[in-house]
Amino acid sequence: MSVRTVEGATQTLSVGPVAATEAIKTLGVDGGGVFNANSAHPFENPTPLTNWIEMLAVLVIPAGLVFTFGKMAGNMKQGIAVFAAMAILFALSVGVMYGFEQAGNPNLTRSGVDQVASATQSGGNMEGKEVRFGVAESILFASLNTASAGGNANASMSSMTPISGGMALWNLMTAEVVFGGVGCGLYTMLTFALLAVFIAGLMVGRTPEYLGKKIGSKEIKLAMLAVLAMNIGILVFTAIAVVAPRDSPDAFR
């Protein structure tokens, strides 16, 4: 597809079944995108409405599985408790990121740049963000997709202020806790729930139980294995890559 740019030049844009692949990307929490700009590209995410639909698609399965767990376990209170823990962590993430992004860049403020929201401007740090989304929807999208391991983006993460960018990195490090991928957040939260119940039971001198089942050493060993598996995998294979012999000095250039 050929289009004429604002400068008058001709540019060729790739087109195809974007909607179908976008649904897979968001519902499957697969990240990536048809275009390099991901969900910041107008062909993938043209309006604030599509932006909300994409965020809902990323969230619907991981969040819905929490309630499925409560129903299948015969105790909806447990499902609601897990969902509440996830929601609180997510709300804290959004609050921190939005607060610092909406405050804008302090260096620009000291230079006399007006970054206060008003009737004529959205205010805040608009660098790297799409005007059609603004700070609020960009930060909500970024927080949701880093917290859920979605990997989608409708703004430039590197253009965030230091604290909100750091919060996005924190979300990535705890991605399988706050909703997570399709089912990942649920089993990770349940792993931490088992550990919490076991430690609390030891502290009060009662036999640890969860959903009416006793938690013993076998369950805790498996829970700790689940917690340490990712770290062990990363560290072990990194160590192997560092000390592995090279055929020549130019082998990895």
Side-chain angles (χ1 to χ4, degrees), residues 144-241:
L144 176 64
N145 281 281
T146 53
S148 68
N152 307 319
N154 70 349
S156 174
M157 298 287 185
S158 60
S159 295
M160 292 180 178
T161 56
I163 300 298
S164 57
M167 193 70 226
L169 291 175
W170 174 262
N171 288 339
L172 290 173
M173 289 189 289
T174 60
E176 304 308 332
V177 176
V178 185
F179 299 112
V182 179
C184 300
L186 174 60
Y187 67 66
T188 307
M189 284 295 285
L190 292 180
T191 300
F192 288 131
L194 291 177
L195 293 174
V197 168
F198 182 75
I199 295 172
L202 294 179
M203 291 176 65
V204 300
R206 294 182 56 186
T207 302
E209 292 186 4
Y210 187 63
L211 294 175
K213 298 183 181 297
K214 296 186 183 302
I215 307 300
S217 60
K218 178 182 178 181
E219 288 77 16
I220 295 305
K221 288 176 182 177
L222 291 173
M224 287 306 304
L225 179 62
V227 172
L228 297 174
M230 182 66 72
N231 299 313
I232 292 173
I234 293 172
L235 293 174
V236 168
F237 287 108
T238 300
I240 292 174

Side-chain angles (χ1 to χ4, degrees), residues 8 13 21 61 73 80 89 115 123 132 146 153 169 180 183 190 215 228:
L13 297 179
T21 52
I61 296 179
I80 293 172
L89 292 172
Q115 298 181 85
R132 64 185 185 274
T146 53
L169 291 175
L190 292 180
I215 307 300
L228 297 174

Side-chain angles (χ1 to χ4, degrees), residues 90-103 135 138-144 146 157 160-161 163-169 171:
F90 176 65
L92 290 173
S93 168
V94 173
V96 170
M97 294 177 69
Y98 177 77
F100 281 93
E101 285 298 303
Q102 192 61 59
V135 171
S138 297
I139 289 305
L140 185 59
F141 197 95
S143 183
L144 176 64
T146 53
M157 298 287 185
M160 292 180 178
T161 56
I163 300 298
S164 57
M167 193 70 226
L169 291 175
N171 288 339

Side-chain angles (χ1 to χ4, degrees), residues 20-168:
T21 52
E22 196 73 8
I24 296 171
K25 178 187 86 171
T26 51
L27 284 170
V29 200
D30 295 319
V34 180
F35 303 97
N36 288 341
N38 207 299
S39 290
H41 197 288
F43 284 5
E44 286 197 37
N45 193 6
T47 67
L49 176 60
T50 59
N51 197 59
W52 279 98
I53 292 174
E54 287 195 18
M55 288 190 286
L56 179 63
V58 170
L59 186 65
V60 64
I61 296 179
L65 285 175
V66 179
F67 293 98
T68 302
F69 158 72
K71 188 172 178 116
M72 294 183 69
N75 191 339
M76 279 302 297
K77 289 183 179 179
Q78 295 297 328
I80 293 172
V82 173
F83 181 85
M86 293 178 172
I88 290 171
L89 292 172
F90 176 65
L92 290 173
S93 168
V94 173
V96 170
M97 294 177 69
Y98 177 77
F100 281 93
E101 285 298 303
Q102 192 61 59
N105 189 327
N107 292 325
L108 294 178
T109 301
R110 285 192 290 269
S111 301
V113 177
D114 183 11
Q115 298 181 85
V116 179
S118 65
T120 57
Q121 65 175 23
S122 61
N125 176 33
M126 282 296 294
E127 181 186 353
K129 297 177 179 63
E130 290 296 309
V131 176
R132 64 185 185 274
F133 303 138
V135 171
E137 289 198 39
S138 297
I139 289 305
L140 185 59
F141 197 95
S143 183
L144 176 64
N145 281 281
T146 53
S148 68
N152 307 319
N154 70 349
S156 174
M157 298 287 185
S158 60
S159 295
M160 292 180 178
T161 56
I163 300 298
S164 57
M167 193 70 226

